[in-house]
Amino acid sequence: MGPQHHMPEAWLVDYAAGTLDEANALLVACHAALCPTCRETLRLLDATGGALLEDQAPVALADDALAALFARIDAEDAAAEPARPGHRPGHQTVDLDALLPAGDGTLRLPRPLLAYLPTAPQDLPWRWNGPGVHVIDLAVGRHPGTRTVLMKIGAGRAMPQHTHKGTEALMVLAGGYRDERGDFFPGDVAISTGEVDHRPIAHDDGECLCLAVLDAPISLTGTVGRLLNPFIRF
């Protein structure tokens, strides 16, 4: 059985069009690696986009169009970072084989994620972020205010009760957790905003590994949590 909590359809459309920011494009690519349903949706979106392009009527070009194009390419090449699998500038065919998980038998991660890891998965420099919780910040894109995080929660351990000052998109990579909305397993996606106040708890049978993209910090709730907010960074 595949994931039960899917990526929003609008995000899949933006990913296929190449208009989604790099951090969330990475999240979509990782979800598609584990979700046959969303991979098929991306396949259909690509086919639809290609058909629409073929149906477009030709447009006359200005005399200096070619020179302007070369100048733009030169400017973009000078400023560009090396291409990574989660980043899809402009419409292009989704390479489904490039998304599928890779790795050893104990931890298979989506291929797009591997390009962003600072080390091999077994050597990752985890940073303590509270009892039972460890994180790693990933360098993904240049979108101001966006944070991309790998998060590991110990078996049976809980995150503190919290809500969100912005939007958090989170995907389970391995293991699983539960909160007030239900259970989440590998490939499942949870979108949380200020309307969500929850306390995720990792399943008892093993660590929960997640990839999260946040456009604003979380905010602890409850009497004690509110007192701790000035000292917490997540």
Side-chain angles (χ1 to χ4, degrees), residues 57-79:
V59 177
L61 297 177
D63 293 339
D64 64 345
L66 187 59
L69 174 61
F70 285 146
R72 180 175 176 181
I73 291 174
D74 288 341
E76 290 181 352
D77 285 347

Side-chain angles (χ1 to χ4, degrees), residues 1-89:
M1 183 175 65
Q4 300 301 298
H5 302 274
H6 297 281
M7 193 64 65
E9 188 171 291
W11 293 31
L12 297 177
V13 171
D14 288 345
Y15 178 85
T19 57
L20 196 61
D21 66 274
E22 187 173 358
N24 284 304
L26 172 62
L27 200 69
V28 171
C30 289
H31 174 67
L34 301 180
C35 180
T37 300
C38 289
R39 281 205 307 277
E40 182 59 26
T41 299
L42 288 175
R43 195 192 306 276
L44 293 174
L45 288 170
D46 266 10
T48 302
L52 290 174
L53 288 174
E54 289 179 358
D55 290 342
Q56 293 296 311
V59 177
L61 297 177
D63 293 339
D64 64 345
L66 187 59
L69 174 61
F70 285 146
R72 180 175 176 181
I73 291 174
D74 288 341
E76 290 181 352
D77 285 347
E81 296 179 342
R84 290 176 170 179
H87 187 208
R88 306 179 65 244

Side-chain angles (χ1 to χ4, degrees), residues 38-184:
C38 289
R39 281 205 307 277
E40 182 59 26
T41 299
L42 288 175
R43 195 192 306 276
L44 293 174
L45 288 170
D46 266 10
T48 302
L52 290 174
L53 288 174
E54 289 179 358
D55 290 342
Q56 293 296 311
V59 177
L61 297 177
D63 293 339
D64 64 345
L66 187 59
L69 174 61
F70 285 146
R72 180 175 176 181
I73 291 174
D74 288 341
E76 290 181 352
D77 285 347
E81 296 179 342
R84 290 176 170 179
H87 187 208
R88 306 179 65 244
H91 180 86
Q92 56 181 280
T93 300
V94 177
D95 183 357
L96 297 179
D97 290 338
L99 301 181
L100 297 177
D104 60 31
T106 58
L107 181 60
R108 291 174 57 79
L109 297 175
R111 283 192 177 95
L113 177 61
L114 298 179
Y116 292 90
L117 298 182
T119 67
Q122 65 272 17
D123 299 323
L124 288 171
W126 294 100
R127 174 172 59 83
W128 186 85
N129 202 67
V133 180
H134 293 78
V135 300
I136 297 172
D137 283 278
L138 301 180
V140 182
R142 301 175 176 177
H143 200 281
T146 297
R147 186 178 177 211
T148 306
V149 184
L150 270 182
M151 178 170 56
K152 181 173 64 173
I153 309 173
R157 303 302 292 267
M159 292 280 291
Q161 188 81 26
H162 65 276
T163 186
H164 301 266
K165 296 180 180 179
T167 298
E168 175 196 78
L170 180 146
M171 175 194 154
V172 178
L173 295 167
Y177 76 92
R178 65 184 182 276
D179 67 5
E180 289 77 355
R181 296 170 291 184
D183 286 275
F184 295 80

